[in-house]
Amino acid sequence: MALMRAVQSVVPGGTDTLELREIEVPVPGAGEILLNVQAVGVNYPDLLIIEDKYQYRPERPFSPGAEVSGIVAALGDGVEEPVIGTRVIAMSGWGGMSEKIILPAEKCFAIPDEMPMDEAAAFLMTYGTSWHALRDRAQLKAGETLLVLGAAGGVGLAAVELGAAIGAKVIAAASSEEKLAAAREAGAAETLLYPAGVLDKNTQRAFSRKIRELAGNPGANVIYDPVGGSYAEPALRAIARGGRYLIIGFPAGIPSLPFNLPLLKECDVRGVFWGSHIEHDPEGHARAVSELLALYREGRIRPRIHSRLPLEQGAEAIDMLSTRGVMGKVVVTI
């Protein structure tokens, strides 16, 4: 019996409950491939899923890790592509922090030869989420103003890059000068420093006023919010009439927004659930991946890797996301 190593969640809890175990190598079934995992992108949902706080609750034991890059090692019945030896990326949902993983063949996308495996593993979730948010949900247009909160995180930096690629004026907001420097490198035209932690009412008013100053009239056309908490309401107050407020996530807490603001602004508050989009529109997802890989080949987008850690430190890699100090992506290499 062939064995492989995997970081596994055995009981609900924090990263201290994760275990590095030896388990049996799986065998691909019909329509599936076996992937030799080379790298795993670490994302905030990995922290939630091991605590049973995510939308999905896989049966335990399971490995966290929702996006992987690797080399196709074996094919199940009926699979002709991708052929063995192909370098691919895929969204797995979970299971990525293991030396091998079974995936549906249709969920795997071949990557360019020039794309390193660590960048490949840091590519799909951040750029896929932000592309779906800006293009599909917000219909962002060239010349519009885009405000990105949490602009130095994985999805935030991707939104800055993609907004600039679309031709929008990007205002990047983050909690340190170092983070703002990273956002400027990614294409932000303006940057806005906000304090970390919970904002009091006076700080919220100052934050909203600064957004309006940078955005000018009529305000920010699109607001990309992967932060939530006390940052949401002051950002919404600075939105343009007819603007689109994108809810990406809320590591700072789920905000309570006054409904009079969308009424007065005639603006939209739009949810962004990329995982559901993939499930309900796989053809649209495939087109988006092709478009994003084209932007990568053109040099217009490129993942920023904050840290690379080995599989043995998978728990530590996930734990890094709880500090909100990460700029770009954390990747586990195998």
Side-chain angles (χ1 to χ4, degrees):
M1 179 177 68
L3 298 176
M4 67 177 187
R5 297 180 306 153
V7 172
Q8 291 202 314
S9 173
V10 181
V11 296
T15 54
D16 58 317
T17 64
L18 296 175
E19 299 179 11
L20 182 63
R21 312 172 84 196
E22 282 199 341
I23 61 174
E24 188 174 352
V25 174
V27 177
E32 297 177 332
I33 62 108
L34 176 67
L35 188 72
N36 284 337
V37 180
Q38 302 293 296
V40 187
V42 183
N43 301 280
Y44 190 68
D46 294 323
L47 190 62
L48 298 178
I49 201 169
I50 64 174
E51 297 176 343
D52 281 353
K53 294 179 180 178
Y54 196 52
Q55 291 94 329
Y56 304 113
R57 293 190 179 184
E59 182 179 346
R60 285 184 168 83
F62 71 90
S63 295
E67 60 178 336
V68 296
S69 64
I71 301 171
V72 178
L75 308 179
D77 290 343
V79 177
E80 296 182 357
E81 291 184 345
V83 299
I84 292 174
T86 304
R87 304 166 76 248
V88 301
I89 51 176
M91 292 301 302
S92 57
W94 56 86
M97 285 194 188
S98 56
E99 292 179 321
K100 301 177 187 292
I101 188 174
I102 297 293
L103 292 165
E106 70 270 12
K107 289 189 175 182
C108 299
F109 299 92
I111 58 173
D113 291 340
E114 64 268 23
M115 181 180 251
M117 283 295 188
D118 56 351
E119 292 186 7
F123 189 78
L124 266 183
M125 182 168 281
T126 51
Y127 289 108
T129 297
S130 296
W131 195 235
H132 172 55
L134 298 178
R135 188 192 60 174
D136 301 332
R137 301 295 292 141
Q139 294 86 46
L140 179 68
K141 302 175 184 65
E144 289 191 312
T145 297
L146 166 67
L147 169 67
V148 179
L149 305 182
V155 292
L157 275 177
V160 170
E161 283 186 287
L162 292 173
I166 290 170
K169 172 188 174 181
V170 181
I171 301 172
S175 60
S176 75
E177 291 294 349
E178 186 181 11
K179 292 178 179 180
L180 294 180
R184 284 191 292 271
E185 289 176 10
E190 301 280 0
T191 55
L192 195 168
L193 180 68
Y194 56 62
V198 178
L199 307 185
D200 61 27
K201 288 300 182 182
N202 287 335
T203 307
Q204 287 186 13
R205 282 192 287 269
F207 181 39
S208 187
R209 185 167 57 250
K210 187 62 176 177
I211 295 170
R212 288 193 293 268
E213 289 174 2
L214 292 175
N217 285 326
N221 303 106
V222 175
I223 296 176
Y224 182 100
D225 182 7
V227 180
S230 58
Y231 302 89
E233 183 178 333
L236 182 59
R237 288 186 181 277
I239 201 168
R241 185 177 182 276
R244 291 86 77 198
Y245 192 102
L246 302 173
I247 304 170
I248 314 300
F250 15 79
I254 299 175
S256 297
L257 296 174
F259 270 21
N260 65 312
L261 293 179
L263 183 153
L264 294 171
K265 297 277 191 175
E266 287 198 315
C267 65
D268 296 340
V269 178
R270 302 182 182 182
V272 178
F273 188 2
W274 182 58
S276 177
H277 168 67
I278 293 174
E279 182 180 341
H280 289 91
D281 187 7
E283 292 182 358
H285 171 56
R287 285 194 302 272
V289 173
S290 178
E291 291 163 355
L292 290 168
L293 287 173
L295 288 171
Y296 178 88
R297 290 189 188 95
E298 294 166 8
R300 300 174 72 185
I301 59 175
R302 184 172 185 177
R304 178 186 175 117
I305 309 296
H306 179 87
S307 295
R308 299 166 181 81
L309 289 86
L311 183 63
E312 295 83 356
Q313 294 178 262
E316 181 182 337
I318 297 175
D319 196 50
M320 291 178 70
L321 300 186
S322 64
T323 66
R324 293 178 60 191
V326 171
M327 292 188 292
K329 291 292 290 281
V330 177
V331 173
V332 169
T333 58
I334 301 175

